[in-house]
Amino acid sequence: MNKLINMSLGLICTALVQTANASEQQQPNILFVFSDDHATHSISAYGSKINQTPNIDKLASEGMLFRNAFATNSICGPSRAVILTGKHSHMNGFMNNEWGGDFDGSQQTFPKLLQKAGYQTSLIGKWHLYSTPTGFDHWEILPGQGRYYNPRFKSETGTVEVTGYTTDVITDRALDWLDKRDKNKPFMLMYQHKAPHREWAPGPDHIDKYKGIEIPEPATLYDDHKGRAASLSPDLEMSISHFLTKADLKLEPPAYLNEAQAANWNRAYAAENKAYFENKPQGIARTKWRYQRYIKDYLRSVDSIDDNLGRVMAYLKENNLEENTIVIYSSDQGFFLGDHGWFDKRWMYEDSINMPLIVKWPNNIQPGSENTDLVQNLDFAQTFLDIAGVNAPSDMQGKSLVPLMKERQEQQAQKSRETQPFRDAIYYHFYENPGWAFVPRHYGVRTDRYKLIHFYKLGTWEFYDLKNDPDELNNLIADASQSAHIAQLKKRLTQLRSEYQVPAEDPEPTLMERFKFWMMHKGLSSQLED
Ligand code: CA
């Protein structure tokens, strides 16, 4: 009798273990493809008028494209910290790139929680949070910003230098890790490019692309910033007409190229550079020349990201991973592509805060669907946990996007956003001043139609009706006809600051941090092309 009971128990236990294993294997893999400073208006799936991105477009045609995804704080490190923690900058502590300390890796992050849930976690490429990565079974990162050719990778075993173009090399290493991983576990891979970050150095495959072609200029390239904070910021350093360095403009080759790479580089730029130095354009012609040089190199950098996404997708297919892998394409923020006369980001204006977000999830997401809800990088951690079937900790501040992903397109169209929006308003806060470009500190609120921004150090406000003024050229803060909307947004802004527990006072850099920044800034200023 006892023997029989033992045998039955044994069978039940075996069955339970088998069920557990089966459910473990069913947890989908998560492949997070992340670039740096890739604006939606340089992705054809988002309607770019200046380039084509066939592989990103294919991902969109097989998945869902989020039109209204926004960064909470539009710079590299802070956006990454928000993604890892699911918390606003003031809660995760990484508020600025240039001062205020390293990312505190001892805190809770979604990779750590996925690890606990049985995932194998890996990080390959750009990190930019200074502290040693935590929560990853495997990591190899570019030190600091990294470089565009012959990158160095730092890992637990030391630093190696690899010959090649960084976007290609990061992909090689990501695919290599996928080959070597423990195939009994689901994986979460953060595959993170440096490109198309400044200084937009093209790879050998695209260095000659767009030659002899004129890329259309954005409508606001010659914006005078009248009535807006930029006109009150004499220190601002982000205009294409004045603040590009010799390296940005490819007027001198980078020091990190080897002999063969340098020869190809010099061949590619030689004729145009010779013509430039012989007859330096002035005034508007100078801005036009610089815009063309800048945007072409930016788009060439994007081209390599797109090619490499194609390589990764082919790998998933060849290795039977396509069905059970969720692929996300995103970037840490947007970027000004000559819009308002600028390169760079930081401002709460649309081009800067709008992030690409495209998700392919076979059998869950309707191929070729679109979402227009207000979502943020703040939501990514909870989304990844939800995908893995892990309950999100209550101190995370975002919302899982999984319910939105599972909506059919017709449900999207039918649901009433007026009465039950996924999110009625987003909160934004930029702190890094002093910092590169000297954008004034500001916070604000954006709904599906309106935006209110408080430049609290300048003591000014801006209000935009995005439906009638999508380029944000007309600050309506003093327009009496808008006073009811402005009052409503001011109230919502106060509520959001309270809900997210935003402190009344900002931290300030120490004297040493100010000095270090001043030294770095002095170095960059000496590199400007005049
Ligand atoms: Ca960035």
Side-chain angles (χ1 to χ4, degrees):
M1 184 69 181
N2 275 348
K3 201 176 171 190
L4 199 66
I5 290 171
N6 281 344
M7 269 176 67
S8 307
L9 277 175
L11 280 173
I12 291 166
C13 285
T14 311
L16 282 175
V17 168
Q18 279 167 350
T19 312
N21 281 346
S23 74
E24 211 171 272
Q25 280 156 18
Q26 278 162 13
Q27 280 177 309
N29 304 310
I30 301 172
L31 175 55
F32 184 59
V33 186
F34 198 55
S35 54
D36 194 325
D37 294 358
H38 191 186
T40 53
H41 50 315
S42 55
I43 296 176
S44 32
Y46 278 95
S48 167
K49 298 183 183 107
I50 55 174
N51 70 330
Q52 295 292 320
T53 46
N55 289 297
I56 299 176
D57 294 5
K58 184 165 186 284
L59 191 72
S61 74
E62 295 169 349
M64 182 177 277
L65 178 145
F66 288 82
R67 282 231 169 249
N68 290 315
F70 299 105
T72 61
N73 179 1
S74 180
I75 36 173
C76 306
S79 177
R80 289 151 201 270
V82 167
I83 288 170
L84 288 169
T85 60
K87 294 176 184 172
H88 274 284
S89 303
H90 61 275
M91 298 299 272
N92 69 49
F94 198 86
M95 298 160 84
N96 306 293
N97 280 338
E98 303 304 336
W99 49 269
D102 300 349
F103 178 69
D104 171 12
S106 70
Q107 67 186 302
Q108 162 189 287
T109 61
F110 87 82
K112 288 184 187 175
L113 296 166
L114 286 183
Q115 251 182 340
K116 270 193 202 153
Y119 271 75
Q120 196 177 184
T121 59
S122 177
L123 162 70
I124 296 172
K126 185 161 176 184
W127 171 241
H128 204 256
L129 289 169
Y130 308 115
S131 56
T132 299
T134 55
F136 296 97
D137 296 304
H138 173 89
W139 57 268
E140 44 187 308
I141 56 171
L142 306 177
Q145 292 280 6
R147 52 193 198 190
Y148 266 102
Y149 281 76
N150 310 328
R152 293 193 181 109
F153 288 93
K154 202 176 134 192
S155 71
E156 266 167 320
T157 54
T159 300
V160 292
E161 188 173 317
V162 184
T163 304
Y165 183 58
T166 300
T167 306
D168 301 332
V169 174
I170 289 173
T171 309
D172 296 341
R173 298 180 85 85
L175 297 183
D176 190 47
W177 180 79
L178 283 171
D179 262 342
K180 288 181 188 153
R181 75 187 199 283
D182 175 358
K183 295 188 174 106
N184 294 315
K185 285 182 172 182
F187 69 81
M188 190 287 293
L189 169 61
M190 300 183 88
Y191 153 58
Q192 310 200 142
H193 290 295
K194 170 191 172 60
H197 190 277
R198 191 181 196 175
E199 71 280 11
W200 322 291
D205 298 343
H206 298 287
I207 201 163
D208 295 310
K209 199 172 171 182
Y210 307 112
K211 266 194 181 168
I213 291 170
E214 196 158 312
I215 309 281
E217 292 177 355
T220 60
L221 182 60
Y222 307 101
D223 186 2
D224 63 5
H225 310 128
K226 207 174 151 208
R228 284 158 284 155
S231 65
L232 305 171
S233 307
D235 297 338
L236 191 67
E237 295 186 349
M238 59 197 296
S239 69
I240 284 179
S241 57
H242 288 97
F243 291 99
L244 293 171
T245 64
K246 295 181 188 86
D248 292 337
L249 289 166
K250 317 299 173 324
L251 296 172
E252 52 189 36
Y256 49 67
L257 298 177
N258 66 27
E259 209 176 313
Q261 291 160 348
N264 190 44
W265 182 280
N266 292 331
R267 175 203 56 75
Y269 289 106
E272 286 180 12
N273 286 355
K274 186 166 177 276
Y276 171 85
F277 285 117
E278 280 171 4
N279 187 14
K280 273 195 176 185
Q282 303 296 324
I284 295 266
R286 170 185 153 106
T287 304
K288 283 182 178 292
W289 190 91
R290 286 169 163 240
Y291 167 73
Q292 291 298 325
R293 178 54 66 95
Y294 155 62
I295 198 68
K296 286 178 184 179
D297 287 333
Y298 180 93
L299 296 178
R300 288 162 180 152
S301 306
V302 167
D303 282 324
S304 288
I305 291 175
D306 192 73
D307 286 353
N308 279 286
L309 177 65
R311 284 178 66 200
V312 170
M313 297 311 286
Y315 177 93
L316 295 182
K317 195 171 182 182
E318 282 156 22
N319 289 276
N320 249 339
L321 290 166
E322 212 179 18
E323 281 290 294
N324 200 33
T325 302
I326 299 178
V327 181
I328 300 104
Y329 182 80
S330 190
S331 187
D332 53 358
Q333 2 73 206
F335 213 64
F336 296 107
L337 303 179
D339 315 282
H340 303 288
W342 295 332
F343 63 95
D344 215 81
K345 54 252 182 176
R346 300 164 206 272
W347 296 96
M348 197 191 165
Y349 303 130
E350 293 294 280
D351 303 306
S352 159
I353 62 171
N354 192 195
M355 311 163 68
L357 177 61
I358 298 171
V359 186
K360 179 185 174 184
W361 188 3
N363 308 317
N364 285 274
I365 283 180
Q366 182 184 9
S369 52
E370 253 192 57
N371 176 286
T372 55
D373 289 300
L374 300 175
V375 307
Q376 293 196 277
N377 52 349
L378 186 67
D379 303 321
F380 290 8
Q382 275 149 281
T383 303
F384 297 149
L385 293 173
D386 196 2
I387 285 168
V390 177
N391 286 330
S394 59
D395 59 350
M396 286 189 171
Q397 296 183 308
K399 286 174 86 173
S400 167
L401 305 180
V402 168
L404 303 181
M405 292 176 183
K406 291 191 171 175
E407 272 175 3
R408 307 291 94 179
Q409 199 67 71
E410 54 278 13
Q411 288 173 294
Q412 264 277 331
Q414 279 164 9
K415 76 176 178 186
S416 171
R417 291 198 158 65
E418 296 276 309
T419 52
Q420 279 183 314
F422 174 74
R423 179 179 276 124
D424 71 306
I426 61 158
Y427 179 69
Y428 180 84
H429 202 147
F430 174 78
Y431 300 88
E432 196 183 86
N433 189 314
W436 299 116
F438 295 94
V439 170
R441 293 185 199 180
H442 57 289
Y443 57 72
V445 57
R446 184 202 190 279
T447 65
D448 60 352
R449 172 149 181 194
Y450 299 106
K451 186 184 288 181
L452 177 76
I453 315 175
H454 187 202
F455 293 92
Y456 50 99
K457 296 281 176 181
L458 298 175
T460 61
W461 293 80
E462 293 181 14
F463 178 79
Y464 298 98
D465 177 347
L466 300 171
K467 190 176 170 196
N468 292 324
D469 178 25
D471 289 337
E472 299 161 293
L473 297 171
N474 304 308
N475 175 11
L476 300 178
I477 196 69
D479 186 326
S481 71
Q482 300 296 321
S483 59
H485 296 307
I486 294 168
Q488 203 180 0
L489 256 68
K490 280 193 175 170
K491 192 177 157 200
R492 192 69 187 106
L493 181 59
T494 306
Q495 285 169 349
L496 286 172
R497 284 174 56 79
S498 164
E499 281 168 29
Y500 290 130
Q501 302 170 55
V502 185
E505 298 288 325
D506 291 350
E508 296 294 337
T510 61
L511 274 178
M512 184 52 84
E513 285 174 328
R514 278 181 193 275
F515 178 71
K516 264 178 72 183
F517 173 72
W518 181 77
M519 290 298 287
M520 276 195 297
H521 178 255
K522 205 167 164 235
L524 186 84
S525 301
S526 70
Q527 305 293 313
L528 292 176
E529 163 66 2
D530 49 34

